[in-house]
Amino acid sequence: MTSPVPPPSSLPHRVPDLGAMVLLLAVARHGSLGRAARDVGISQPAASSRIRSMERQLGVALLDRSPRGSRLTDAGALVTDWARRVVEAAEAFDAGAQALRDRRDSRLRVAASMTIAEYLLPGWLIALRAERPGTAVSLLAGNSAAVALRLLAGEADLGFVEGLSIPEGLDGTVIAHDRLVVVVAPSHPWARRATLTPGELAEAPLILREHGSGTRQVLDAALAVHGGLARPLLELSSTTAVKGAAESGAGPCVLSELALGEELSARRLVKVPVAGVRLRRQLRAVWPAGHRPTGPARDLLSLTARDT
């Protein structure tokens, strides 16, 4: 019957650490403790102390020391041979790990809700390219619910959402704040209103983003206590489409202030204040729970924090 293999936790008290093995190989190569110490970047006293500690740990003498230098004992030569195999294996392990890191760092898959994808991400990705020119970035734009699904399916490395909370199964952090505003074409009757009441907004047929979008989630929650949203006039899946319909005079819409700068400046759309309702929201970076972003995803997350 063969003896059971000892668990890895029993190895450290009788196997020298990797640094000591590297030092022993340097002594064998140079025939001098002093030159070996310089080779590995430590002082000679520290090198001598490390070799003595290694000898005590193994219970055998490794070096014969003399004024002419340090020579391996027979046991030392055998241990050096074993150490060489361990160090070579460690170098192969490190090279393999570096290859995995290089493969990870060669691409970044980002999933983002529409507003963030259109109005915030371009600047962050330009900054990321300056820091990581070798990283290929792919962007998947969709509503916040779709972003969460892509992350949970392993189809994206980092996501950005606009909803009320962090979707289930994900961790995240707030990266920015945003405000939803009501806008209409200049010809619409509301364009001449000083303010609207929440009830008026809730009762009006609106041009809305689809269910699952962060914009729709915030608006649904804000107007729930005022009777909820009326049946939509139109329900569209992109911010650009919603803006286009509102500009045509079809009806009012509610969108992120981030998405309306050009239209408001050119007065193609007019902002209509709403009293007594909170339409602010948090924009978040999200990732699968328990898996904090690494590599390019970590760097992109850092850029969003720098920008807020």
Side-chain angles (χ1 to χ4, degrees):
M1 181 176 177
T2 58
S3 301
V5 176
S9 59
S10 67
L11 293 176
H13 74 279
R14 44 195 177 83
V15 175
D17 65 72
L18 195 60
M21 295 187 202
V22 170
L23 175 61
L24 182 63
L25 292 175
V27 174
R29 191 163 55 250
H30 294 290
S32 163
L33 195 57
R35 287 197 294 272
R38 287 193 295 274
D39 190 6
V40 300
I42 61 176
S43 67
Q44 183 167 340
S48 181
S49 175
R50 180 168 284 191
I51 292 294
R52 288 196 182 94
S53 176
M54 192 176 180
E55 288 174 327
R56 287 193 298 272
Q57 188 176 15
L58 295 172
V60 296
L62 301 174
L63 299 180
D64 281 332
R65 299 164 179 84
S66 73
R68 294 187 299 277
S70 299
R71 184 178 62 83
L72 293 172
T73 64
D74 290 343
L78 187 57
V79 170
T80 299
D81 187 46
W82 296 337
R84 183 173 292 106
R85 296 182 213 171
V86 173
V87 171
E88 287 173 353
E91 289 171 345
F93 180 93
D94 183 57
Q98 182 61 51
L100 290 175
R101 288 192 296 271
D102 290 344
R103 186 172 69 181
R104 176 203 66 190
D105 294 352
S106 68
R107 67 169 187 172
L108 172 62
R109 301 167 302 165
V110 180
S113 55
M114 300 301 292
T115 300
I116 297 175
E118 291 183 49
Y119 301 100
L120 292 176
L121 257 177
W124 297 335
L125 293 180
I126 289 170
L128 180 68
R129 184 168 181 77
E131 294 189 3
R132 285 185 173 269
T135 298
V137 180
S138 61
L139 173 60
L140 302 165
N143 64 36
S144 294
V147 170
L149 290 174
R150 288 190 182 278
L151 285 166
L152 294 172
E155 297 172 358
D157 306 304
L158 185 65
F160 296 93
V161 296
E162 309 161 7
L164 292 169
S165 59
I166 298 173
E168 187 177 353
L170 303 180
D171 289 336
T173 186
V174 174
I175 56 165
H177 293 83
D178 184 26
R179 188 160 65 101
L180 300 183
V181 294
V182 179
V183 291
V184 295
S187 59
H188 192 278
W190 281 4
R192 295 178 290 278
R193 291 286 300 271
T195 59
L196 293 174
T197 67
E200 287 176 307
L201 182 62
E203 292 169 3
L206 302 174
I207 305 166
L208 296 174
R209 284 289 308 277
E210 78 285 6
H211 284 289
S213 73
T215 299
R216 184 68 172 268
Q217 291 174 22
V218 172
L219 189 58
D220 279 337
L223 295 181
V225 295
H226 301 284
L229 284 167
R231 183 176 180 177
L233 179 66
L234 293 170
E235 199 171 52
L236 303 171
S237 61
S238 80
T239 298
T240 301
V242 172
K243 287 193 294 185
E247 282 186 48
S248 73
C253 71
V254 182
L255 288 173
S256 163
E257 198 167 34
L258 290 171
L260 293 165
E262 183 181 338
E263 290 78 12
L264 293 174
S265 295
R267 288 197 59 80
R268 296 199 300 270
L269 290 172
V270 178
K271 189 187 302 185
V272 187
V274 183
V277 65
R278 182 176 176 80
L279 293 176
R280 287 183 63 81
R281 62 180 178 175
Q282 296 174 322
L283 308 182
R284 293 180 174 85
V286 290
W287 53 87
H291 297 277
R292 184 81 182 178
T294 59
R298 178 196 58 222
D299 293 347
L300 179 57
L301 182 58
S302 175
L303 287 170
T304 67
R306 201 182 305 170
D307 198 41
T308 57

